[in-house]
Amino acid sequence: MFDATKRTASDIKEMKIRGAGRIARAGASAMEDFAESYRGSSLEGFKKDLDSAKDILLGSRPTAVSLWNGVQACLKDVDKASSLEEARGSVVRNAKAFVETSNNAVDAIAKIGAKRVEKGDTIMTHCNSSAAIGVIKEAHAQGKDIKVFATESRPWRQGLLTVRELSDAGVDVTLIIDSAVRMVMKDIDKVFVGADTVTSNGSLINKIGTSQLALAANEERTPFYVCTETYKFSPMTIFGDIVEIEERDCGEVARPEEIPKGVKIFNPVFDTTPAKYIDAMITEVGMISPGSVYDVMVRQFGDIILKMRDNK
Ligand code: RUB
């Protein structure tokens, strides 16, 4: 019953599906498939099995709240359903709506963010964020004659995906190693990065090394923008929960034979950029300050937040 759900979870864990937005959409589509192909006969059984499917997906990558919000969006009407068919239908409907909203959000962010790009700007981006790349491609399509520096993003080197996508779109793009960020920053006009999770106090959790871009940008007085759909805002952080930073296998950093005996490897996947280094969050509901994240979150996720509060 859970084979397809487990396949999606394992594709996410093994990074065949990666990037917070894609993970969220894949999670929602997996819930849709689960509901559509469900062969059980009782509403209660469906709710229980749906819960297990949810847990399988949420266990795949811990940091991106987008996955949690995407899966949760699919479940929001299940408790109101009075029959199995109604419950299944609501999951399918809400999953489709989430995927559509998510894709539209990336487009809206591209349009809003591109207004911040001026003719001739040199931009830096990190890792591989569809939201940040959307802004850059839109600015390029508007003829703004931009240059881009993209970081390699060790150890998975997602920067290679970024430079391929940008160069395919005709953007003048240069790949740099992660440790070149400080040196190159003096030539950068604006930084655009994506988000895995945004906390209620406006801090950003994104690919490891993002905070170094933010620090270097701050020192150079270079504007630092976060391109983020609002479903990357974490309702749990309102109640004090700490975002778990995923640690991945040390084999991603070096081959076992390269490591002297007794040497340990630490491979955190994401880091936290404090709100004070962020000039603005570019979201599908507009450009907001990090200080407005709480208000936007309450507006977007009011019901979920109230439910969470009641369960605390
Ligand atoms: C990807 C990463 C991206 C965010 C946002 O990390 O940190 O910046 O997920 O991406 P990983 P998007 O490769 O480990 O998933 O804007 O596409 O949602």
Side-chain angles (χ1 to χ4, degrees):
M1 180 193 299
F2 297 109
D3 285 358
T5 316
K6 283 183 183 160
R7 259 196 312 278
T8 303
S10 127
D11 284 351
I12 293 174
K13 205 179 181 71
E14 289 163 19
M15 311 266 287
K16 288 183 192 143
I17 304 170
R18 43 145 303 282
R22 283 188 209 97
I23 293 174
R25 290 188 288 276
S29 298
M31 293 304 273
E32 177 186 346
D33 292 346
F34 182 82
E36 215 153 37
S37 59
Y38 191 70
R39 292 289 165 262
S41 54
S42 81
L43 176 59
E44 281 322 300
F46 177 63
K47 284 187 188 171
K48 213 168 127 268
D49 293 334
L50 200 60
D51 229 37
S52 306
K54 175 185 90 177
D55 290 345
I56 291 168
L57 289 165
L58 296 186
S60 58
R61 282 196 88 183
T63 301
V65 75
S66 55
L67 178 59
W68 190 92
N69 279 328
V71 167
Q72 217 57 42
C74 305
L75 304 181
K76 68 179 167 102
D77 294 326
V78 170
D79 282 340
K80 295 181 209 149
S82 52
S83 71
L84 171 60
E85 281 325 299
E86 214 181 295
R88 285 177 61 199
S90 76
V91 174
V92 171
R93 194 178 57 250
N94 286 326
K96 282 191 199 307
F98 178 81
V99 172
E100 194 187 335
T101 308
S102 164
N103 284 323
N104 289 343
V106 176
D107 294 344
I109 289 167
K111 296 227 159 55
I112 295 170
K115 291 190 192 162
R116 282 295 154 133
V117 180
E118 285 157 280
K119 233 179 164 58
D121 269 354
T122 302
I123 289 166
M124 185 181 282
T125 190
H126 186 50
C127 193
N128 179 251
S129 155
S130 27
I133 289 175
V135 169
I136 294 168
K137 280 166 68 173
E138 176 66 23
H140 171 75
Q142 291 174 4
K144 290 197 168 160
D145 188 26
I146 51 174
K147 287 191 178 57
V148 175
F149 282 82
T151 54
E152 179 188 16
S153 308
R154 278 267 298 151
W156 270 80
R157 308 180 78 203
Q158 291 95 328
L160 295 178
L161 301 172
T162 298
V163 293
R164 158 119 12 225
E165 188 172 345
L166 291 178
S167 109
D168 284 352
V171 178
D172 176 338
V173 58
T174 305
L175 180 71
I176 54 169
I177 56 172
D178 300 319
S179 39
V181 162
R182 177 67 194 92
M183 184 201 175
V184 174
M185 192 58 79
K186 63 183 183 331
D187 300 320
I188 301 297
D189 297 299
K190 273 140 210 164
V191 177
F192 289 91
V193 296
D196 276 87
T197 291
V198 174
T199 65
S200 59
N201 69 358
S203 294
L204 163 71
I205 288 100
N206 193 49
K207 177 57 54 189
I208 189 80
T210 302
S211 63
Q212 295 179 102
L213 269 74
L215 285 173
N218 185 262
E219 200 190 15
E220 287 287 347
R221 306 282 183 269
T222 304
F224 182 91
Y225 295 113
V226 178
C227 308
T228 173
E229 304 89 314
T230 53
Y231 60 79
K232 292 168 180 173
F233 291 4
S234 166
M236 309 72 160
T237 57
I238 291 179
F239 300 102
D241 288 4
I242 302 286
V243 179
E244 180 186 344
I245 301 287
E246 179 185 3
E247 265 180 55
R248 292 184 68 93
D249 195 83
C250 53
E252 293 180 352
V253 177
R255 289 192 304 278
E257 65 273 20
E258 293 174 313
I259 309 301
K261 207 167 164 6
V263 171
K264 298 184 280 286
I265 287 181
F266 176 46
N267 183 21
V269 182
F270 301 101
D271 67 13
T272 302
T273 300
K276 65 178 177 180
Y277 296 113
I278 299 168
D279 287 274
M281 308 257 173
I282 304 169
T283 79
E284 76 279 12
V285 297
M287 278 194 59
I288 63 168
S289 69
S292 314
V293 167
Y294 173 83
D295 290 337
V296 172
M297 204 159 12
V298 169
R299 219 180 60 201
Q300 300 287 97
F301 303 120
D303 289 351
I304 292 180
I305 290 168
L306 287 180
K307 227 186 209 170
M308 290 172 100
R309 189 196 58 190
D310 294 343
N311 291 334
K312 286 274 160 184

